[in-house]
Amino acid sequence: QVQLIESGGGLVQAGGSLRLSCAASGRTFRYGMGWFRQAPGKDREFVAAIGWSATITVYADSVKGRFTISRDNAKNTVYLQMNSLKPEDTAVYYCAADVRNQLARRLLDYEYWGQGTQVTVSS
């Protein structure tokens, strides 16, 4: 079993930055990790993913060049650095763990989920 706890969300003006953290506990932290988000009235969508070795990352086109996913395996923590934020980035952000380390973009490929952290970007 893996427990994931997100933090770092908040209210920021357009053009600003936030860094989200996802702390993992429980079983050995050797999974692929992803960030997803869900805006009000919309489906949850893929944002970014990173492999266990942290050498490969993938991003949704909507955040490419603005967001950076990283991980510190010694701290069992994954980060999402978000720069040049836009009002359309407003959502609840979730981290998730993929036991098969697939760099997956689909929700169903992730077995463990955090509770989410709210990010609100004002215009």
Side-chain angles (χ1 to χ4, degrees):
Q1 194 75 10
V2 175
Q3 293 80 43
L4 303 172
I5 300 177
E6 303 96 335
S7 61
L11 174 64
V12 64
Q13 289 189 330
S17 298
L18 282 175
R19 188 176 82 154
L20 306 183
S21 298
C22 173
S25 61
R27 296 181 61 180
T28 304
F29 189 53
R30 295 184 178 272
Y31 303 148
M33 297 295 295
W35 284 98
F36 290 76
R37 67 186 181 186
Q38 187 167 18
K42 295 188 176 182
D43 293 334
R44 193 171 300 188
E45 65 176 8
F46 171 78
V47 175
I50 187 167
W52 157 245
S53 65
T55 57
I56 301 176
T57 56
V58 293
Y59 296 93
D61 288 344
S62 58
V63 306
K64 199 172 295 183
R66 299 188 298 123
F67 290 12
T68 302
I69 188 171
S70 61
R71 67 191 295 164
D72 184 340
N73 289 341
K75 296 182 178 180
N76 287 349
T77 302
V78 177
Y79 305 98
L80 185 68
Q81 177 67 44
M82 306 186 294
N83 299 329
S84 302
L85 282 162
K86 306 175 182 179
E88 51 264 44
D89 294 319
T90 295
V92 177
Y93 283 71
Y94 299 88
C95 71
D98 166 22
V99 301
R100 289 165 291 180
N101 194 29
Q102 301 174 99
L103 289 169
R105 296 173 180 261
R106 303 183 303 173
L107 276 72
L108 59 84
D109 288 321
Y110 290 83
E111 289 77 16
Y112 301 104
W113 292 83
Q115 293 300 308
T117 185
Q118 176 71 47
V119 171
T120 303
V121 184
S122 63
S123 58

